Amino acid sequence: MKKTLHILVQSFSYRKGYPEDPAGNGGGFVFDCRGILNPYRFGNLKYLTGKDKEVEEFFVEKTDMPEFIESIKKIIDITINNYLEREFSDLQINFGCTGGQHRSVYSAEKIALYIIEKYPQTRVSLVHRNSKNWMLK
């Protein structure tokens, strides 16, 4: 029986530390989103998250986020295909930013959706590690 590859996609705040690897494999990918312009610095976006439409529009219209996401897709495709072929059981993909509310959340959401659509034979879990600390109105 073929193993199902479980892919854990997480957003996190660098201020709170790196995510642990529950599978015990020593980690996985960690992508630093802090090179993308931070919506937190722009008025009402401060109180939203990377899941909100206004934040998505900001990323698409005013940042290099679309290119960042496309580059990550190319990188993770290599590993996902390899792990599927070798019947590995776990892969972790993490996205970090300053507060774990905007850039990392958006990236994790987009990549999780991408994996679900492209690799339906995998099992994807999406975790926003710092959602309890989000600065919401």
Side-chain angles (χ1 to χ4, degrees):
M1 182 178 212
K2 204 168 193 178
K3 289 183 186 178
T4 300
L5 176 61
H6 174 232
I7 303 174
L8 173 60
V9 180
Q10 297 185 102
S11 67
F12 72 96
S13 165
Y14 278 102
R15 290 182 186 160
K16 305 290 182 183
Y18 288 87
E20 292 184 22
D21 178 13
N25 294 327
F29 290 106
V30 179
F31 294 102
D32 189 342
C33 303
R34 293 175 293 184
I36 304 295
L37 195 58
N38 190 352
Y40 179 86
R41 307 265 180 226
F42 294 86
N44 64 332
L45 298 179
K46 176 179 187 173
Y47 300 105
L48 300 177
T49 74
K51 297 168 88 173
D52 290 301
K53 185 167 182 50
E54 296 91 336
V55 173
E56 178 173 10
E57 289 170 357
F58 173 84
F59 283 137
V60 170
E61 295 170 11
K62 298 187 176 173
T63 75
D64 291 327
M65 183 65 87
E67 292 85 359
F68 181 74
I69 296 295
E70 287 306 310
S71 296
I72 290 168
K73 288 177 183 178
K74 290 176 185 176
I75 292 169
I76 65 171
D77 279 345
I78 293 167
T79 299
I80 293 172
N81 287 320
N82 181 278
Y83 278 26
L84 287 169
E85 185 178 308
R86 295 168 63 197
E87 296 188 27
F88 281 18
S89 59
D90 294 280
L91 174 62
Q92 189 172 344
I93 304 171
N94 303 290
F95 295 92
C97 65
T98 306
Q101 181 172 330
H102 297 96
R103 296 167 290 181
S104 62
V105 170
Y106 177 85
S107 299
E109 290 279 335
K110 291 299 178 192
I111 292 300
L113 181 61
Y114 170 76
I115 296 168
I116 289 166
E117 291 174 353
K118 184 165 183 177
Y119 301 99
Q121 71 273 41
T122 66
R123 181 172 63 90
V124 177
S125 298
L126 176 61
V127 176
H128 298 299
R129 290 176 31 100
N130 299 103
S131 61
K132 291 179 183 175
N133 299 329
W134 288 351
M135 190 177 227
L136 307 175
K137 276 190 172 179

